[in-house]
Amino acid sequence: LLPTCNGEITTMSFLQDVVDILLQYVVKSFDRSTKVIDFHYPNELLQEYNWDLADQPQTLEEILLNCRTTLKYAIKTGHPRYFNQLSTGLDMVGLAADWLTSAANTNMFTYEIAPVFVLLEYVTLRKMREMVGWPGGCGDGIFSPGGAISNMYAMLIARFKMFPEVKEKGMAAIPRLVAFTSEHSHFSVKKGAAALGIGTDSVILIRCDERGKMIPSDLERRIVEAKQKGFVPFLVSATAGTTVYGAFDPLIAIADICKKYKIWMHVDGAWGGGLLMSRKHKWKLNGIERANSVTWNPHKMMGVPLQCSALLVREEGLMQSCNQMHASYLFQQDKHYDLSYDTGDKALQCGRHVDVFKLWLMWRAKGTTGFEAQIDKCLELAEYLYNKIKNREGYEMVFDGKPQHTNVCFWYIPPSLRGMEDSEERTSRLMKVAPVIKARMMEYGTTMVSYQPLGDKVNFFRMVISNPAATHQDIDFLIDEIERLGQDL
């Protein structure tokens, strides 16, 4: 293979074979007659194949076989009946963009080595900030390895804004900080606090209403309480689209509280940020324009291939001041172009993957209206599922009312439990239903949908839709499959 002398013909033949394997996988991903998953237990897969790394090279035929085997047991996350995660679907333009960035194989830290990609990141982040509602798309931002890191960036910058001396002197030089987020928020807020040395005990969880939305009065009460104890509130992380319920916190009321107490307002819109593309649904994020920072993951609701997460910051220059280290071997100050396009010094990472091109190319291919239609369709499918099961025998909704996002949360009640009064025994048996049905789904390979407990609620199904390939027939299939696999429980 190249760069071996005269390796062109062998290389082209090998890569063509790889592309053929990939194209077959792509076609199968959308074929409803194929399995979502060919499930094997870990010990079975380990014993069935030799995965060990050897001293001597394999032949190219063996390498191609490795490629086929890997995809044989991969989960078809683009399959119209894969509903397990918030990130689903397989976009052809996004896939093409991913192939291109792998071939280009460059790094995002300077304009010098990634000129077009750096400019596309600048253009795309500005457009996203415009959609958040910041005048003229003002501010700053970065594409990060995922929503958890984007949220950690927000905490880092909020802390620096309040106490810039922490950068040099560390946590010992500043007062005890506290952050606030809802009890339904993503675990990454606590993880960020742990990583930054603030501590998980310094993240105060605010009560939610029955729909999973943060209660503003409880937020204000807890802020006052923390201040009375001598703590310094530095960040409120509101959630636009919670992981389980798909709830949108009341951002306007939260913004008022943050303004009153001079606290950084972050909005974790990793899951719900995509609704900004929809004229029909973006009202759910009213007030987001008042945030100091926003996390938005196009790899979720917008279907951009993993990974693609943006952290948007309203104040320009703050990210640079917070993170820059002036490494002279990368960020020389006497270069012959505008140094503001050397973005690496405002990132925590040094090496940074090109994530923007997938989003940019898809946006060019679909336009904003294409993303809007895709998102509206997914929300319509969620409403279709809700309307179909809300009064159907054998189903109980986890909370009342139409879901705000594509999260539909419900229990399947097998016939054996339908006549039982609410009791400890019924609860104990119900807790086991969803895990058994999920295991059977995976063993048959027909579909996948997530389940979990939450608070005092035992295991329930959390159905999410973000794949534009899904149809009403796929929703019907899911309901029939749950009933087929759960009838005897």
Side-chain angles (χ1 to χ4, degrees):
L1 298 178
L2 289 172
T4 298
C5 186
N6 300 320
E8 294 91 334
I9 292 173
T10 313
T11 300
M12 292 305 133
S13 174
F14 170 70
L15 289 178
Q16 187 59 59
D17 288 341
V18 172
V19 168
D20 290 344
I21 291 168
L22 292 172
L23 293 179
Q24 288 169 23
Y25 180 77
V26 167
V27 171
K28 281 182 181 176
S29 288
F30 296 103
D31 181 355
R32 288 172 175 81
S33 69
T34 64
K35 288 183 173 185
V36 173
I37 172 178
D38 184 355
F39 180 76
H40 287 64
Y41 288 96
N43 61 320
E44 293 174 337
L45 272 185
L46 283 171
Q47 289 165 14
E48 196 167 334
Y49 295 94
N50 176 17
W51 305 99
D52 292 337
L53 297 167
D55 292 337
Q56 299 304 313
Q58 288 186 315
T59 65
L60 290 183
E61 288 72 25
E62 289 172 316
I63 295 298
L64 290 169
L65 183 61
N66 293 156
C67 292
R68 289 191 183 93
T69 303
T70 301
L71 285 180
K72 173 176 167 59
Y73 297 108
I75 312 298
K76 295 190 187 76
T77 57
H79 197 291
R81 292 174 180 167
Y82 174 79
F83 303 109
N84 206 65
Q85 308 304 135
L86 304 182
S87 307
T88 64
L90 182 58
D91 186 274
M92 295 304 105
V93 174
L95 178 62
D98 228 352
W99 290 351
L100 186 145
T101 53
S102 290
N105 192 31
T106 194
N107 208 316
M108 283 295 288
F109 44 55
T110 62
Y111 179 83
E112 179 180 332
I113 63 165
V116 177
F117 296 135
V118 163
L119 292 179
L120 295 183
E121 186 172 69
Y122 170 80
V123 167
T124 306
L125 288 169
R126 184 179 62 193
K127 180 68 173 176
M128 293 173 82
R129 292 192 299 267
E130 277 179 20
M131 300 194 82
V132 166
W134 295 334
C138 67
D140 207 341
I142 201 89
F143 281 92
S144 87
I149 304 298
S150 291
N151 288 340
M152 188 171 78
Y153 264 122
M155 299 180 83
L156 181 71
I157 297 163
R159 181 178 67 177
F160 176 81
K161 173 70 174 176
M162 188 172 275
F163 294 103
E165 64 269 28
V166 75
K167 181 177 175 180
E168 284 82 24
K169 295 184 170 54
M171 288 294 289
I174 64 173
R176 167 78 182 273
L177 302 180
V178 286
F180 305 84
T181 192
S182 88
E183 58 189 354
H184 283 214
S185 67
H186 195 260
F187 69 86
S188 58
V189 179
K190 281 196 168 187
K191 186 166 276 196
L196 296 174
I198 294 164
T200 57
D201 287 351
S202 297
V203 178
I204 296 171
L205 299 181
I206 307 303
R207 286 193 299 111
C208 293
D209 64 18
E210 68 284 350
R211 295 293 303 268
K213 299 168 181 280
M214 186 193 290
I215 299 171
S217 59
D218 192 53
L219 171 63
E220 184 161 22
R221 181 180 70 81
R222 299 302 297 273
I223 289 171
V224 170
E225 203 175 80
K227 286 168 75 74
Q228 286 170 347
K229 291 177 179 175
F231 303 150
V232 177
F234 82 108
L235 173 133
V236 173
S237 181
T239 311
T242 57
T243 306
V244 180
Y245 281 9
F248 289 79
D249 286 343
L251 301 182
I252 294 173
I254 292 168
D256 288 342
I257 293 168
C258 288
K259 182 180 178 183
K260 180 177 177 181
Y261 294 98
K262 296 183 174 60
I263 303 172
W264 183 283
M265 178 183 172
H266 175 63
V267 175
D268 178 3
W271 175 219
L275 269 58
L276 291 168
M277 311 292 279
S278 167
R279 285 167 290 188
K280 183 177 179 182
H281 295 285
K282 67 180 179 183
W283 63 269
K284 296 167 188 176
L285 294 104
N286 284 350
I288 195 171
E289 71 283 353
R290 295 175 62 188
N292 298 97
S293 57
V294 173
T295 292
W296 177 354
N297 285 12
H299 69 225
K300 291 195 167 86
M301 201 64 218
M302 293 165 67
V304 177
L306 285 159
Q307 59 197 30
C308 189
S309 173
L311 184 275
L312 310 171
V313 182
R314 188 167 64 188
E315 184 179 330
E316 193 172 356
L318 190 58
M319 199 169 200
Q320 184 84 7
S321 301
C322 178
N323 294 324
Q324 67 184 352
M325 290 294 157
H326 304 287
S328 59
Y329 50 84
L330 267 185
F331 310 113
Q332 301 92 338
Q333 296 305 296
D334 50 2
K335 291 181 181 180
H336 62 289
Y337 58 81
D338 182 350
L339 296 178
S340 68
Y341 292 104
D342 282 1
T343 57
D345 216 10
K346 67 183 179 186
L348 283 178
Q349 300 160 263
C350 180
R352 194 159 64 87
H353 187 259
V354 177
D355 293 327
V356 66
F357 190 65
K358 297 170 289 192
L359 172 58
W360 180 85
L361 201 66
M362 284 174 64
W363 210 325
R364 296 279 281 194
K366 295 174 189 285
T368 306
T369 56
F371 274 124
E372 176 181 47
Q374 177 178 313
I375 287 162
D376 287 353
K377 179 192 174 185
C378 290
L379 280 129
E380 187 275 321
L381 284 175
E383 191 170 343
Y384 173 79
L385 170 62
Y386 167 72
N387 288 331
K388 188 148 183 163
I389 65 172
K390 65 179 178 181
N391 297 316
R392 187 183 180 97
E393 186 184 13
Y395 292 85
E396 286 181 19
M397 305 311 297
V398 173
F399 55 82
D400 294 330
K402 191 171 77 173
Q404 273 211 294
H405 206 352
T406 70
N407 308 50
V408 183
C409 299
F410 61 91
W411 289 282
Y412 172 69
I413 315 295
S416 67
L417 297 184
R418 287 177 200 170
M420 284 184 73
E421 287 187 13
D422 199 10
S423 64
E424 207 170 297
E425 188 198 346
R426 183 182 186 273
T427 300
S428 174
R429 287 175 60 182
L430 181 59
M431 181 170 67
K432 298 170 186 171
V433 170
V436 172
I437 293 175
K438 172 68 176 284
R440 290 175 178 180
M441 282 177 178
M442 292 179 71
E443 283 162 3
Y444 280 104
T446 50
T447 186
M448 284 178 71
V449 59
S450 183
Y451 73 86
Q452 68 282 298
L454 187 68
D456 61 351
K457 294 176 170 62
V458 297
N459 286 322
F460 56 88
F461 286 112
R462 178 210 62 174
M463 172 67 178
V464 285
I465 304 163
S466 59
N467 186 352
T471 64
H472 291 112
Q473 289 73 28
D474 297 313
I475 304 300
D476 295 341
F477 175 86
L478 174 75
I479 295 167
D480 292 343
E481 193 67 353
I482 287 173
E483 292 172 2
R484 179 179 80 86
L485 297 173
Q487 280 290 107
D488 64 332
L489 297 178

